[in-house]
Amino acid sequence: MPGSLRLAGQRVLVVGLARSGVAAARVALARGARVTVTDRRVATELAPSVEQLGSSVDFALGGHDPADFTGADLVVVSPGVPLSLPEIQGARRQGVPVLAEVELAARLLPGLPLVGITGTNGKSTTTALAGALLGRDRRVFVGGNLGTPLCELVLSGEEVDAAVVELSSFQLEGIDRLRARVAAVLNVTPDHLDRYRDLTEYALAKARLFMNQQWGDLAIANARDPVACSLAGASRGDVLTFGFGAPASRSARAPGDGGALLLSVGEAAPERYLVRARALRGRHNLENAMAAALCARFMGVSGAEVQAGLDAFPGLPHRLELVRDRDGVEWVNDSKATNVDSTAVGLAAFPAGRPHVVLILGGRGKRAPYAPLRPLFGGRVKALLTIGEDAPAIERELGDLAPTERAGTLADAVRRASGAVRRGDVVLLSPACASYDQFKSYEHRGDAFRQLVEELA
């Protein structure tokens, strides 16, 4: 299939039946393809997806048959499926094209300006914020790894003026021609080392976001992250940076932590914006706001609309989300913090001075050390409650810094926290771990936290 993407009559194999896989299968069906879907999980574990697709596709569940891969005209891969899978490698050796779901969608949306945002941390908030800013004056699709697969836009037939898409390293592994009019890399720190050999291999996956950019496109990078700057530097487009410090030409800078941003997109004097929304508290959210504002201004959103969008931004669930203010105690859901670096930026959003944060950590670890959190405990963390499989490792590395208790479950952690706080304190669920030992997803974990907090007397 070297030319334009023709699906009618083609044998399309979709690997992985999560949201992206289901959307890709539906797109292929709508375009007249003969679709087979395969997943290592059995039908009972995939009941909603199986029901949604019905009898219109062939199911190969409970394992992968190599013949399904080598006999296909096209293989479409969900983000959670590694391209190192032997069956995928076998298909490639036979010359079968292998595409990510987002690449399939992009090929079926020719000419649509795409803003692509990647990074280890902050990409969901930045994607949502950039989408909100662009949405002030145009029709915008916002999705990707954030929640709604790009294939859903293809299915809807909706006419939009731009798409703002969060792109994970997993998704970027499978792109080929996808071109981002604006491509932003927020940061690159160790993550998913259960899938990648090392940081270098992980960064190379992120770098693919810039490989198809052309003259006149824009690459955005975090000035304090040399890896991010190196990736963006490979773009054929212009490169702008964001960060803290004195104003610089063709950049975004925050002179301090007070919420002021100075943007210089062209040759004009820097533009000043204020980040005042509670949903954007913390130094890391100043960085997110700078990246989103650069995206919006480059795409032609007026300065007045950028400021209005910053003021109106409601934030995202599970990302420093205030779920309850109970008797002067803030209960904050940061369940999206599934790695140590994300927990570090979340914890740093609360001022040091007196220990006032009861921190809930734990879940399924990612083989990364917890020691980078140590400098953030002093004058900030009042107590540490551990949950899940990696509780012993967390206690070994951090348990000497604050009173520590092993709660085991999230319900017990909430119960213990409610008895340990007073007015002015914060209970922060920021686990630094994946959720799969006790929950279906980080969203499930965050929703459970919200319900437990709401049920407190």
Side-chain angles (χ1 to χ4, degrees):
M1 303 175 63
S4 60
L5 191 60
R6 181 176 65 88
L7 295 177
Q10 299 292 300
R11 293 164 298 178
V12 175
L13 178 69
V14 177
V15 189
L17 267 187
R19 284 177 294 194
S20 293
V22 171
R26 292 175 60 215
V27 163
L29 284 170
R31 299 291 175 120
R34 292 176 288 162
V35 179
T36 299
V37 295
T38 181
D39 197 296
R40 282 181 170 165
R41 292 170 291 178
V42 298
T44 53
E45 298 177 273
L46 296 163
S49 298
V50 170
E51 183 179 348
Q52 189 173 358
L53 293 174
S55 60
S56 53
V57 305
D58 293 325
F59 292 98
L61 306 178
H64 299 312
D65 184 346
D68 288 333
F69 289 75
T70 55
D73 297 307
L74 172 68
V75 174
V76 181
V77 182
S78 296
V81 178
L83 298 187
S84 59
L85 199 72
E87 293 85 355
I88 292 176
Q89 293 299 310
R92 282 183 156 172
R93 284 193 294 271
Q94 295 295 319
V96 179
V98 177
L99 305 180
E101 171 270 331
V102 70
E103 172 73 21
L104 172 68
R107 292 199 189 185
L108 297 173
L109 296 166
L112 178 67
L114 190 148
V115 176
I117 295 171
T118 194
T120 305
N121 298 303
K123 56 185 178 291
S124 294
T125 297
T126 304
T127 300
L129 180 56
L133 298 183
L134 264 69
R136 302 289 302 183
D137 66 2
R138 69 197 73 189
R139 300 165 299 177
V140 180
F141 169 86
V142 182
N145 193 59
L146 179 63
T148 305
L150 190 58
C151 273
E152 292 286 357
L153 177 60
V154 179
L155 287 165
S156 72
E158 181 183 357
E159 292 188 8
V160 298
D161 302 306
V164 183
V165 185
E166 176 186 337
L167 294 168
S168 70
S169 59
F170 296 173
Q171 291 169 302
L172 290 168
E173 287 177 29
I175 69 167
D176 181 32
R177 303 178 192 170
L178 182 149
R179 175 187 173 190
R181 180 81 173 86
V182 180
V185 56
L186 307 179
N187 43 65
V188 183
T189 58
D191 197 15
H192 301 301
L193 297 182
D194 50 347
R195 175 150 165 170
Y196 299 104
R197 286 192 300 267
D198 51 31
L199 178 62
T200 299
E201 187 176 56
Y202 172 57
L204 287 173
K206 298 283 191 190
R208 297 178 65 82
L209 177 59
F210 301 95
M211 69 181 183
N212 294 319
Q213 286 199 296
Q214 303 298 323
W215 181 88
D217 294 341
L218 175 65
I220 298 171
N222 190 330
R224 67 177 176 85
D225 190 319
V227 177
C229 289
S230 175
L231 301 187
S235 170
R236 297 182 184 90
D238 293 333
V239 179
L240 300 184
T241 63
F242 62 89
F244 293 90
S249 63
R250 300 184 59 75
S251 70
R253 291 292 184 268
D257 295 337
L261 307 180
L262 297 173
L263 262 66
S264 176
V265 177
E267 302 302 324
E271 304 166 355
R272 187 172 187 272
Y273 301 94
L274 290 175
V275 179
R276 310 177 267 225
R278 195 175 191 181
L280 293 172
R281 64 179 163 186
R283 189 176 175 90
H284 68 293
N285 271 325
L286 286 178
E287 291 186 320
N288 296 337
M290 284 187 274
L294 282 174
C295 291
R297 288 294 287 124
F298 182 82
M299 292 290 286
V301 179
S302 73
E305 291 292 5
V306 167
Q307 183 62 70
L310 290 172
D311 290 340
F313 185 62
L316 290 176
H318 315 296
R319 297 157 181 86
L320 288 179
E321 174 194 14
L322 178 64
V323 298
R324 187 175 181 184
D325 191 326
R326 175 178 178 262
D327 297 330
V329 176
E330 289 187 329
W331 294 76
V332 178
N333 168 23
D334 196 31
S335 183
K336 180 64 167 64
T338 59
N339 59 59
V340 171
D341 288 294
S342 188
T343 293
V345 296
L347 187 54
F350 299 92
R354 72 167 182 87
H356 66 294
V357 176
V358 176
L359 179 62
I360 302 174
L361 289 180
R364 179 163 293 171
K366 295 185 174 179
R367 296 170 47 202
Y370 296 98
L373 296 175
R374 292 183 68 87
L376 293 166
F377 269 60
R380 185 179 277 115
V381 176
K382 176 178 182 175
L384 172 63
L385 300 174
T386 63
I387 61 174
E389 290 178 354
D390 230 27
I394 293 168
E395 291 161 11
R396 283 195 303 272
E397 296 191 48
L398 304 175
D400 61 316
L401 300 176
T404 300
E405 297 180 26
R406 186 177 303 182
T409 66
L410 185 56
D412 193 35
V414 169
R415 181 186 62 80
R416 292 175 188 240
S418 68
V421 291
R422 60 184 176 88
R423 182 175 294 273
D425 286 349
V426 174
V427 180
L428 174 63
L429 170 67
S430 191
C433 292
S435 59
Y436 303 121
D437 56 337
Q438 297 180 342
F439 300 94
K440 297 176 183 177
S441 63
Y442 76 81
E443 295 99 332
H444 182 206
R445 179 172 59 191
D447 290 341
F449 178 73
R450 183 186 298 109
Q451 182 175 346
L452 288 165
V453 173
E454 289 173 351
E455 291 173 352
L456 291 171

